[in-house]
């Protein structure tokens, strides 16, 4: 079980009793605006998705490392942060990372704080070699988190993705274990 702390947050694996919070988070239209491909619309979808997450946690070749974010004092849910293993190579895991938090917590540094701790866990404890992530160019807050966490911009794909009725530009970032160590 993953259990990490930062100055203000607890970052931990989901537990069975987190189902309703998981569903509420992943079905929130504003929170998931930029993540329509993983947004949940029904309790049945959420139940299936949540049980896949719980089942995966017990596997020796775990793939999903998205974890629950909560405030230390109140235990109020902030969002979710983590990564998915896309390949396990001889030099380490290749992962796609991300984060999504409730709008009321935007602009307060929680996402940067959480993502930095997840990167530390990934590179120092979980044999991750490469972290990739990205966002739509209009999502300046998400891009700023990547920059603050030391990720390096690799690409800008113009008119790359259909989102909210129009084509939008996507930005791609990465961080290698050796780059993380140099910071």
């Amino acid at each position: 079980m993953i259990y990490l702390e930062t100055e203000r947050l607890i970052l931990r694996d989901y537990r069975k009793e987190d189902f309703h919070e998981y569903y509420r988070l992943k079905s929130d239209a504003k929170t998931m605006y930029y993540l329509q491909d993983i947004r949940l619309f029904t309790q049945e979808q959420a139940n299936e998705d949540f049980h896949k997450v719980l089942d995966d946690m017990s596997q020796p070749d775990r793939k999903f490392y998205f974890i629950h974010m909560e405030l230390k004092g109140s235990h109020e849910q902030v969002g979710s942060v983590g990564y998915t293993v896309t390949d396990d190579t001889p030099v380490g895991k290749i992962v796609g990372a991300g984060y999504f938090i409730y709008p009321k917590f935007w602009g307060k540094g929680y996402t940067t704080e959480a993502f930095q701790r997840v990167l530390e866990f990934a590179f120092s404890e979980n044999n991750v070699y490469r972290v990739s992530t990205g966002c739509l160019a209009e999502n300046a807050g998400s891009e700023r988190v990547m920059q603050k966490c030391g990720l390096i911009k690799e690409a800008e794909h113009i008119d790359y993705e259909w989102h909210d009725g129009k084509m939008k530009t996507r930005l791609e970032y990465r961080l290698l274990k050796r780059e993380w160590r140099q910071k």
Side-chain angles (χ1 to χ4, degrees):
M1 293 289 286
I2 297 171
Y3 183 92
L4 310 170
E5 290 190 20
T6 69
E7 183 181 334
R8 303 176 293 168
L9 299 167
I10 294 170
L11 311 170
R12 61 167 175 80
D13 272 331
Y14 284 100
R15 301 183 286 231
K16 287 180 185 176
E17 58 269 23
D18 295 324
F19 172 74
H20 293 291
E21 286 185 324
Y22 183 86
Y23 175 49
R24 187 170 57 92
L25 177 70
K26 288 193 73 176
S27 63
D28 184 81
K30 198 165 184 184
T31 300
M32 303 305 289
Y33 176 73
Y34 289 111
L35 299 165
Q36 291 298 307
D37 58 326
I38 62 167
R39 182 176 170 201
L40 300 172
F41 294 92
T42 68
Q43 209 162 2
E44 292 76 26
Q45 282 180 317
N47 191 42
E48 185 179 326
D49 192 58
F50 188 65
H51 280 90
K52 284 180 185 175
V53 169
L54 294 180
D55 291 343
D56 183 67
M57 288 187 321
S58 65
Q59 301 303 313
D61 60 342
R62 182 175 175 171
K63 301 281 185 238
F64 304 109
Y65 289 87
F66 274 86
I67 54 181
H68 176 82
M69 297 169 59
E70 65 184 47
L71 296 176
K72 267 188 178 173
S74 66
H75 298 285
E76 181 181 2
Q77 181 187 38
V78 174
S80 188
V81 60
Y83 54 88
T84 300
V85 178
T86 57
D87 198 7
D88 196 352
T89 73
V91 296
K93 297 173 185 164
I94 310 298
V95 305
Y99 36 80
F100 42 100
I101 70 169
Y102 285 113
K104 77 184 227 176
F105 297 109
W106 292 353
K108 297 179 179 169
Y110 290 117
T111 309
T112 300
E113 185 177 323
F115 195 44
Q116 285 174 333
R117 182 64 182 97
V118 166
L119 289 169
E120 178 185 345
F121 167 79
F123 290 126
S124 66
E125 299 176 49
N126 198 27
N127 194 34
V128 170
Y129 177 76
R130 179 188 172 93
V131 172
S132 299
T133 191
C135 65
L136 293 180
E138 69 186 46
N139 192 353
S142 184
E143 182 181 20
R144 188 73 190 119
V145 168
M146 294 173 213
Q147 293 167 341
K148 285 181 179 179
C149 290
L151 277 75
I152 298 161
K153 187 175 181 181
E154 284 195 308
E156 182 171 344
H157 303 288
I158 307 299
D159 288 346
Y160 182 79
E161 186 175 325
W162 183 258
H163 181 264
D164 202 17
K166 58 186 159 198
M167 293 302 294
K168 295 185 179 180
T169 297
R170 182 166 175 81
L171 308 174
E172 298 291 339
Y173 280 76
R174 69 122 206 293
L175 188 62
L176 303 178
K177 182 183 266 187
R178 70 176 175 265
E179 294 164 339
W180 173 79
R181 281 187 183 140
Q182 291 170 352
K183 296 189 174 302

